[in-house]
Amino acid sequence: MELKKLAVRAAEQYAQIPNIEAIMLAGSVSRNWQDEFSDIELLIFWKQAPLDEARTQIITQLQGQLLEFHPYEEEEWAETYTVDGVKFEISSFLTETIRQTIHQVTRELDVDPDKQCIAAAFQHGIALYGEVAIEQLKKQVEHYPLELQEAVINYYSDFGSRWNNREALVHRKDWLMFYKVVVSVQTNIMGLLFGLNRQFIPHPAFKWQRNSLALMDIKPKNCAARLESVFFQEPSDAMKELEALIGETFGLIRQELPHIDLSEATRKASFVRPKI
């Protein structure tokens, strides 16, 4: 089934509710990244707090099957349902909340990936209703501030003390903790690369890693393949690959942004817990 057509069909039902100001298609479908496992992500912007009856009304009209229904949490209402076997992920916000979030990212330099993914959604989102309101918000994320670039790089340049235990974890075969560290290190590398390339983070868990890296001009050679290989190599080789990727990423930052002092971050990342 054509996911965009199904999204438009759903948006037509939502648009009948006077309290809704705008509707935007987000996620993989808006970026043409969808595959056979993709769902439809709709962002609904409300003038005032929605009633539960209004949220469930659309599901009934679409003959959908409700899977999850969440109350107001962290400035968002969310529900999940299926229509004709396709899953819908609905995130509802007050329009004013979205304006504030974008202001926090672009003006107050908030590095929170949950907030950055809102900014990223507007860069690539498709307006299905309320085009004027969405276009106004899109204009606010056209420019990625240089100050935000530096803030993101400073935030993700700290790889944490557990990375310093990497050789001990491999020696002890503490694989659960080791691979938690591996995921943490990859997360920081991705954060650094998003900042270096002045791109808003599109997902708080760095979903679509390969697709995101393909859009970056500045990155270590064969970055995507090397990051993926870490999970399939011998742990000691994976550790060395991550060390190399950290070093190369820091090198690219020094090359592109020599005013950022990475000396302390480099010292911390290269430190290895000594043997007795």
Side-chain angles (χ1 to χ4, degrees):
M1 177 175 291
E2 174 55 62
L3 297 183
K4 287 184 180 178
K5 289 182 179 179
L6 186 54
V8 170
R9 175 182 148 199
E12 289 171 349
Q13 295 295 328
Y14 279 102
Q16 302 305 312
I17 300 176
N19 191 22
I20 290 179
E21 187 169 2
I23 304 164
M24 188 172 73
L25 175 64
S28 60
V29 179
S30 71
R31 294 166 173 259
N32 289 319
W33 288 355
Q34 68 268 23
D35 58 22
E36 62 269 32
F37 296 103
S38 292
D39 51 25
I40 293 173
E41 296 181 38
L42 294 182
L43 304 186
I44 314 294
F45 308 114
W46 300 74
K47 301 172 187 176
Q48 298 177 336
L51 299 174
D52 288 351
E53 292 79 3
R55 295 165 60 198
T56 57
Q57 167 190 335
I58 304 301
I59 303 173
T60 301
Q61 292 172 346
L62 292 170
Q63 297 181 328
Q65 184 71 38
L66 181 64
L67 300 178
E68 296 179 346
F69 193 84
H70 299 284
Y72 184 66
E73 296 175 326
E74 298 182 354
E75 301 187 303
E76 175 185 1
W77 295 265
E79 60 262 15
T80 304
Y81 55 87
T82 59
V83 176
D84 297 336
V86 177
K87 188 172 76 166
F88 277 75
E89 294 278 356
I90 308 297
S91 294
S92 289
F93 306 89
L94 295 178
T95 308
E96 182 56 31
T97 297
I98 294 300
R99 290 194 184 100
Q100 292 175 4
T101 299
I102 291 176
H103 180 84
Q104 288 168 348
V105 172
T106 60
R107 300 296 182 182
E108 299 176 4
L109 313 180
D110 196 324
V111 302
D112 184 345
D114 286 297
K115 294 179 180 179
Q116 285 206 36
C117 75
I118 295 293
F122 274 94
Q123 281 191 322
H124 303 280
I126 299 173
L128 301 180
Y129 174 71
E131 289 83 357
V132 173
I134 289 176
E135 188 59 33
Q136 290 174 345
L137 292 165
K138 277 179 170 287
K139 287 184 181 300
Q140 296 181 34
V141 298
E142 287 179 348
H143 175 69
Y144 187 108
L146 291 171
E147 297 85 356
L148 179 61
Q149 179 185 45
E150 185 167 349
V152 169
I153 288 173
N154 285 331
Y155 179 79
Y156 284 104
S157 63
D158 185 354
F159 285 82
S161 60
R162 289 187 174 182
W163 172 239
N164 304 141
N165 296 328
R166 54 193 179 274
E167 289 189 1
L169 293 174
V170 172
H171 176 77
R172 294 169 178 169
K173 295 182 170 57
D174 276 332
W175 303 134
L176 181 58
M177 186 172 178
F178 175 74
Y179 282 105
K180 283 183 178 180
V181 173
V182 167
V183 170
S184 175
V185 168
Q186 286 220 25
T187 296
N188 279 50
I189 291 173
M190 290 299 296
L192 289 170
L193 292 174
F194 272 108
L196 181 58
N197 287 272
R198 296 177 67 190
Q199 295 179 9
F200 297 112
I201 296 169
H203 193 278
F206 294 87
K207 187 179 177 182
W208 306 306
Q209 183 183 36
R210 186 184 300 179
N211 302 68
S212 296
L213 287 167
L215 296 177
M216 296 180 184
D217 294 325
I218 310 171
K219 59 197 172 189
K221 187 176 181 180
N222 299 324
C223 187
R226 292 167 68 189
L227 286 170
E228 290 177 10
S229 73
V230 163
F231 294 100
F232 304 101
Q233 293 177 325
E234 286 294 321
S236 57
D237 294 332
M239 178 180 66
K240 290 181 174 57
E241 187 70 90
L242 286 175
E243 290 174 341
L245 283 163
I246 292 171
E248 291 169 37
T249 301
F250 279 169
L252 290 170
I253 295 170
R254 291 191 192 93
Q255 178 181 311
E256 300 292 326
L257 304 164
H259 66 280
I260 296 181
D261 183 6
L262 290 175
S263 56
E264 182 62 13
T266 301
R267 185 192 68 78
K268 288 182 177 180
S270 60
F271 178 76
V272 178
R273 177 180 176 176
K275 298 178 182 178
I276 297 176

